[in-house]
Amino acid sequence: MPKVSSVVVPYAAYLRVYEPLTAFPEPERTHWARYARRPDRPSYQDELRRSLADLLPTPPVAVPVHESGDAFVLEADGVLCVCPWRTRLRGWLALAGLGEELPPPVLDAVLPPVVRHQAAQDYERWLARNPDARPWIRTATWQIPLNWFVLVADEERRYDKPSGDVPPMLRYRTPMVQARRRVARALRTLKDTIEEGPLIDGLVDVGRWLEEFHPRSVVELDYGGLVHAVPAVDLADDHSAADVAEGIEALRRGDGTAAGEAYGRLVERWRTVRDRRSAN
């Protein structure tokens, strides 16, 4: 059996915000400036492996005791941008929604009620001291919410084919101002053409989240470990952001047929992934 430190952890995709270094107050700004110079920065897989390792003890550690000092780093137009992991906060947020993902017997086996109750109490106390806290990273398992694709455009897509031991990579990156503009345009169209529902609610939610960050931030939609759940040939042909944009534009024109065709392509593309989830 492979060790937790070496196993590839699949099936999670990410929506990240990278803020410019100047958006962080001191002493955090200095910490990230030093961190960015490290040659050995960990990857998203390292983050997931650490989370899995926390579930191995008895009782399991539902949420890290200490906040992570790690981050993802990139340079955009000469500006150093940082996306803090904030694994403790994200752990609490994920725990709150876990009841919707797992049947009660499975949830109790993975994280006993007493562990969840203690974590909830810890979060309440922490939130009272940090009322404005928000995560820089959103995570989705076994799927990518359609509202995430609204933020990006097909021309911002980057796909790297698998090579040897290196897995494929599929991601989009866009300036924050573009992501916010696309959200606003899409919401206008959707509210004028369809009834209120999960798509509009999700887009409102993600739009509010984006407003929390510096306007010169970079938004990244990363398929992450989800690339392991999609056949390589299907991944190479995956242009979900283009289909979402085409569907919204068709709605704006009043072309229900074209909108339905775009939606149908999305449903068919992601059905395979959902089927694999059911099989597991």
Side-chain angles (χ1 to χ4, degrees), residues 144-146 149-150 152-154 157 170 172 221 223 234-235 237-247 262 265-267 269-270:
I144 295 179
L146 290 185
F149 289 114
V150 173
V152 296
D154 191 61
R157 176 183 184 271
L170 180 54
Y172 299 78
L221 194 170
Y223 274 52
D234 294 338
L235 199 64
D237 292 334
D238 185 331
H239 291 269
S240 293
D243 287 330
V244 169
E246 183 177 331
R265 290 194 297 272
L266 286 163
V267 169
R269 180 176 300 124
W270 290 98

Side-chain angles (χ1 to χ4, degrees), residues 21-61:
L21 193 60
T22 54
F24 296 90
E26 293 291 2
E28 190 175 7
R29 184 186 307 172
T30 297
H31 166 76
W32 293 133
R34 292 173 178 167
Y35 182 89
R37 294 194 291 269
R38 285 178 48 179
D40 59 341
R41 295 193 302 269
S43 69
Y44 78 90
Q45 285 285 328
D46 295 314
E47 179 192 12
L48 279 174
R49 290 175 189 131
R50 293 177 192 177
S51 298
L52 284 181
D54 283 342
L55 297 177
L56 295 179
T58 303
V61 179

Side-chain angles (χ1 to χ4, degrees), residues 13-16 144-145 148-152 170-174 219-224:
Y14 307 91
L15 187 62
R16 304 186 183 102
I144 295 179
W148 289 13
F149 289 114
V150 173
L151 312 184
V152 296
L170 180 54
R171 65 155 170 79
Y172 299 78
R173 284 179 181 165
T174 192
V219 179
E220 178 182 72
L221 194 170
D222 183 3
Y223 274 52

Side-chain angles (χ1 to χ4, degrees), residues 97-159:
L98 203 56
E100 301 176 3
E101 296 288 331
L102 298 175
V106 177
L107 180 58
D108 290 346
V110 175
L111 289 172
V114 64
V115 174
R116 303 201 304 274
H117 179 68
Q118 182 62 56
Q121 288 186 323
D122 292 343
Y123 181 46
E124 288 180 7
R125 288 192 292 266
W126 183 89
L127 195 59
R129 301 190 303 270
N130 303 273
D132 299 325
R134 80 283 199 247
W136 279 256
I137 305 172
R138 290 190 167 196
T139 304
T141 54
W142 289 99
Q143 49 98 33
I144 295 179
L146 290 185
N147 60 75
W148 289 13
F149 289 114
V150 173
L151 312 184
V152 296
D154 191 61
E155 59 267 23
E156 295 162 342
R157 176 183 184 271
R158 175 180 169 183
Y159 172 65

Side-chain angles (χ1 to χ4, degrees), residues 53-74:
D54 283 342
L55 297 177
L56 295 179
T58 303
V61 179
V63 175
V65 177
H66 303 289
E67 188 54 272
S68 171
D70 288 305
F72 300 111
V73 179
L74 63 80

Side-chain angles (χ1 to χ4, degrees), residues 239-256:
H239 291 269
S240 293
D243 287 330
V244 169
E246 183 177 331
I248 292 174
E249 175 61 21
L251 287 174
R252 189 190 65 80
R253 299 193 311 266
D255 188 343

